[in-house]
Amino acid sequence: MKKIIIPFIIIGVTTLIASCHTTVSEDERIGERVDSFATYYFNWQYDKAAAYCTPPSIKWLEFAASQVREGDVEQLKAKESQLTMEIISIDYSPDEQLARVKQRVSNYMEARGFGEPPAECEEGIYEWTLVKEKRAWLIRMEAVSYTHLTLPTT
């Protein structure tokens, strides 16, 4: 009797474990990468943001970091409103190796660079390009994002 019950218990437990396993979609993976990157980017933690970028993109983060002055950091720390982000859209290239992500960012300090003080921004729309390298999505920067997109309101 025990020999008959044990295989059913094993099959039942295996089925239960397998049914609890969820797969993460590409959209979720990209969304997590972009949100993590943007959190560091808009808090001017460029060294941590670099972990989410392609190697050639790091030069842009280094440049952005070189433009931040101590007074700018104090202004960022004194900001009272909390940074929030939302993914608006994700569009893939036909071969699904490149994605363009539009992200709404609210309550952030925009580092202006070139000796200008940072500006407190209520909301901006940013577009990030991601490339798939060895099954991981990485942000590809081709410049420092000092400006944001303006989307038409409908």
Side-chain angles (χ1 to χ4, degrees):
M1 183 75 162
K2 286 184 180 179
K3 289 183 180 182
I4 294 173
I5 294 175
I6 292 177
F8 285 112
I9 292 173
I10 292 172
I11 290 170
V13 170
T14 304
T15 303
L16 181 63
I17 291 171
S19 68
C20 292
H21 178 70
T22 58
T23 58
V24 177
S25 73
E26 288 297 297
D27 283 1
E28 290 172 316
R29 285 187 183 130
I30 288 173
E32 289 171 3
R33 299 292 287 187
V34 169
D35 283 345
S36 295
F37 167 78
T39 297
Y40 292 127
Y41 185 82
F42 288 106
N43 282 305
W44 306 346
Q45 297 175 338
Y46 300 120
D47 57 330
K48 292 179 181 176
Y52 299 90
C53 293
T54 61
S57 300
I58 293 171
K59 68 182 175 194
W60 297 110
L61 295 173
E62 290 171 344
F63 175 75
S66 74
Q67 300 302 304
V68 176
R69 299 173 308 211
E70 192 169 325
D72 300 341
V73 174
E74 295 306 318
Q75 189 175 347
L76 177 66
K77 288 179 182 178
K79 188 173 75 63
E80 293 181 18
S81 54
Q82 178 133 2
L83 174 72
T84 60
M85 296 168 289
E86 172 191 8
I87 301 294
I88 298 170
S89 66
I90 302 174
D91 296 311
Y92 296 91
S93 64
D95 66 358
E96 297 185 353
Q97 297 300 303
L98 184 130
R100 294 204 189 280
V101 178
K102 284 193 178 112
Q103 181 182 45
R104 177 177 287 110
V105 182
S106 303
N107 304 317
Y108 65 100
M109 296 292 292
E110 184 175 65
R112 299 286 170 106
F114 307 111
E116 291 185 42
E120 192 162 345
C121 297
E122 207 171 293
E123 186 174 280
I125 306 295
Y126 286 80
E127 185 172 86
W128 308 109
T129 301
L130 285 84
V131 293
K132 196 171 192 179
E133 292 186 3
K134 298 179 185 173
R135 297 179 43 152
W137 288 99
L138 299 174
I139 284 85
R140 182 178 71 196
M141 296 182 72
E142 296 173 353
V144 175
S145 294
Y146 286 127
T147 58
H148 56 274
L149 304 172
T150 304
L151 294 181
T153 55
T154 54

